[in-house]
Amino acid sequence: MPRAKSKKEEPVEAGSDVVMEEAPPSHQPESRDDMSVDQDENDGPEDVEDEEVDEEEEEEEDVQRVRLLPGSTPTAASFEFLNEGHTLGNALRYIIMKNPDVEFCAYAIPHPSEAKMNVRIQTFEGTTAIQALEKGLRDLQELCDVVSDKFIDAKEKFAASASS
Amino acid sequence: MPHKPPTQEELERRKIVGIHEETITDVSSSDYPWTYPGEDHSWDIEAFKRNFRIEFHQNDPFEASFSLIGCDASIANAFRRIMIADIPTLAIETVFINNNTSVIQDEVLAHRLGLIPFKGGKEGLHKFLKWWRRPEDESQINNSYYDFNTVSLRLEVKCEHNEKAAPGETDPTKLYKHAHVYARDIEFCPVGRQEKYFSGENAIAPVNPDILIAKLRPGQEISLSMHMHKGVGSDHAKFSPVATASYRLMPVIKIERPILGKDAEKFAKCFPKGVIGLEKVTKQEAAQKGSGYEGHEGEVKAVVVDPMRDTVSRECLRHPEFKDKVKLGRRRDHFIFLVESTGQWESDAIFLEAVAHLKKKAQDLEKQVINMVR
């Protein structure tokens, strides 16, 4: 079928599912007053044959999710992350605090009903808060690689010891 | 004065969270640069590689247990949170009810259907299926369903009298046909390329076919079709790939002074089975001056066998006879994970996916930060 060809089958990295940015925030309908039931129900995903789709719009323009908050100086800055929470906030705070050039690092979620997370970084002279943030994010990636490798090793070792 | 590097003992001590009768101590980690004069605790990937360990305790498709040893709580917690809320799964999202004359209301029935965990071909689930997005123009909704973002299911059940039932039969399941509607009655309707990814073994089907959906009586009928989409646990718990993903810290039990005889037996009873063992005091121990075992040869003494099984109930701290003889604690950098999959993913794959997810997050944000500076 034509759709199958137009769709690029990008090789997916091991252990990576669909692209998360494209995750819809929620499937729940915005409150609508026209809760019409008349749409023909048995509509399964229609047969693709004669359909023209604007194929997964080429990775829609990346929205800028990180912002430097006003009042920041090179060595003391606050950053605002949109759509991030404690998951990344605390992990990032830890890894940035592990940087010896950083004097202070903390994260906050100013209000639970706003999907925003703030990170404050103050560094010693000689480096900048932005550099510390970048290093933190890089270190976090390295850490994930190590955890992943060790997990696979441990899993295989366990499987071998269980079967023997 | 040159600073002395910390002894191994000191390093061990720093890792322990103290647990006392009514209080806890040393809760926060202290392994940051500038905490201890003359010591370097800055991030070092090589040191992390050396010290970080993972040990498996159990690895079944529906339940995996393993320890992360030598990492910080913030990292372990990030993995746990990602497993619960950020790993995508496929679940019933929309239910089109044609007819429902059962006693269970439409919306309750739809909710019950949504919570049923499904399984299917891994390649199809993780690679072929993509997100479905509600179109901004609501009238275009029927043009938004494709084989790569929607899985269609049907449920058609009608309850009737069973003529073959024995006279005087009281069991509704024998008296009527289809008195009980189970998850196994849900029928998968493959469309387009779904045939390729979800056929035979790999068909989309409920993980537990025996989930009871509704009960019917003769004349009652349920007829509906369903759409499944991909979603994440932060949107709705039905999308969470895990029933639970949790961790606890490794318990530490330190017997400081000998606990002997009847006391030892009582001490063992303060803990779950298998945590404390009873051993005979050996000749050498009894001969050792200052060990506390002098003249007790042959008596039983309490020894720690398997602290991992302990629930840290603190029972032993309530008894005066054990005062100053035992210290309880937890190892701050030893996380015993328990991941219970709902069946769509293998439980060990969920953790690996969480690690990959955190990496992806950091990668994307690094780009964002570079972009912000530009």
Side-chain angles (χ1 to χ4, degrees), chain A:
Chain A
M1 60 194 77
R3 280 221 3 70
K5 291 213 186 73
S6 69
K7 168 130 193 45
K8 37 173 207 295
E9 309 271 47
E10 56 232 291
V12 187
E13 271 176 68
S16 71
D17 201 89
V18 286
V19 193
M20 287 308 291
E21 286 88 86
E22 291 169 16
S26 175
H27 295 151
Q28 303 306 316
E30 309 276 275
S31 60
R32 295 178 292 149
D33 17 335
D34 62 321
M35 290 294 276
S36 46
V37 216
D38 53 329
Q39 285 156 3
D40 68 344
E41 277 95 15
N42 270 330
D43 53 354
E46 43 229 61
D47 238 321
V48 256
E49 232 65 63
D50 45 17
E51 269 307 325
E52 200 48 64
V53 212
D54 39 310
E55 185 60 51
E56 276 151 59
E57 333 78 67
E58 258 315 307
E59 190 118 348
E60 52 188 77
E61 267 313 289
D62 260 346
V63 232
Q64 186 59 36
R65 284 160 62 219
V66 188
R67 181 167 77 97
L68 194 64
L69 288 173
S72 298
T73 64
T75 59
S78 298
F79 303 90
E80 183 189 78
F81 291 72
L82 295 180
N83 295 323
E84 290 298 343
H86 295 284
T87 305
L88 185 92
N90 201 17
L92 193 58
R93 186 225 91 223
Y94 165 75
I95 208 101
I96 293 174
M97 276 174 83
K98 276 287 216 177
N99 183 344
D101 301 327
V102 171
E103 187 181 14
F104 174 85
C105 178
Y107 86 103
I109 289 170
H111 195 283
S113 49
E114 280 184 319
K116 286 177 181 165
M117 190 261 298
N118 290 356
V119 176
R120 172 77 179 171
I121 304 173
Q122 288 169 216
T123 64
F124 295 116
E125 289 300 322
T127 185
T128 68
I130 292 172
Q131 279 171 354
L133 177 61
E134 282 173 359
K135 178 173 160 36
L137 288 165
R138 275 196 310 274
D139 288 344
L140 211 51
Q141 292 169 45
E142 282 184 335
L143 178 145
C144 287
D145 287 336
V146 174
V147 174
S148 214
D149 291 347
K150 296 242 180 184
F151 187 84
I152 293 167
D153 282 354
K155 187 177 113 178
E156 279 164 5
K157 225 159 111 198
F158 182 75
S161 73
S163 63
S164 65

Side-chain angles (χ1 to χ4, degrees), chain A residues 3 15 17 19-22 26-27 43 46 63-65 84 87 93-94 98 100 141 145 150, chain B residues 31-32 34 42-43 49 52 74 81 93 131 142 148 227 230 235 353 359 364 366 368 371:
Chain A
R3 280 221 3 70
D17 201 89
V19 193
M20 287 308 291
E21 286 88 86
E22 291 169 16
S26 175
H27 295 151
D43 53 354
E46 43 229 61
V63 232
Q64 186 59 36
R65 284 160 62 219
E84 290 298 343
T87 305
R93 186 225 91 223
Y94 165 75
K98 276 287 216 177
Q141 292 169 45
D145 287 336
K150 296 242 180 184
Chain B
D31 56 339
Y32 297 107
W34 314 118
S42 50
W43 177 251
K49 263 183 207 164
F52 179 70
S74 57
R81 287 175 62 98
E93 174 67 22
W131 301 108
N142 284 332
F148 61 86
H227 282 180
K230 257 194 182 181
D235 174 23
E353 185 65 24
K359 188 186 172 188
D364 293 346
E366 197 192 340
Q368 291 260 330
N371 198 29

Side-chain angles (χ1 to χ4, degrees), chain B residues 217-231:
Chain B
R217 283 298 177 266
Q220 294 182 346
E221 180 186 0
I222 288 175
S223 161
L224 47 87
S225 61
M226 294 160 269
H227 282 180
M228 304 178 88
H229 298 300
K230 257 194 182 181

Side-chain angles (χ1 to χ4, degrees), chain B residues 278-290:
Chain B
L278 297 172
E279 281 176 13
K280 287 240 157 71
V281 178
T282 62
K283 205 169 191 169
Q284 289 103 307
E285 280 171 330
Q288 207 177 0
K289 280 244 161 67

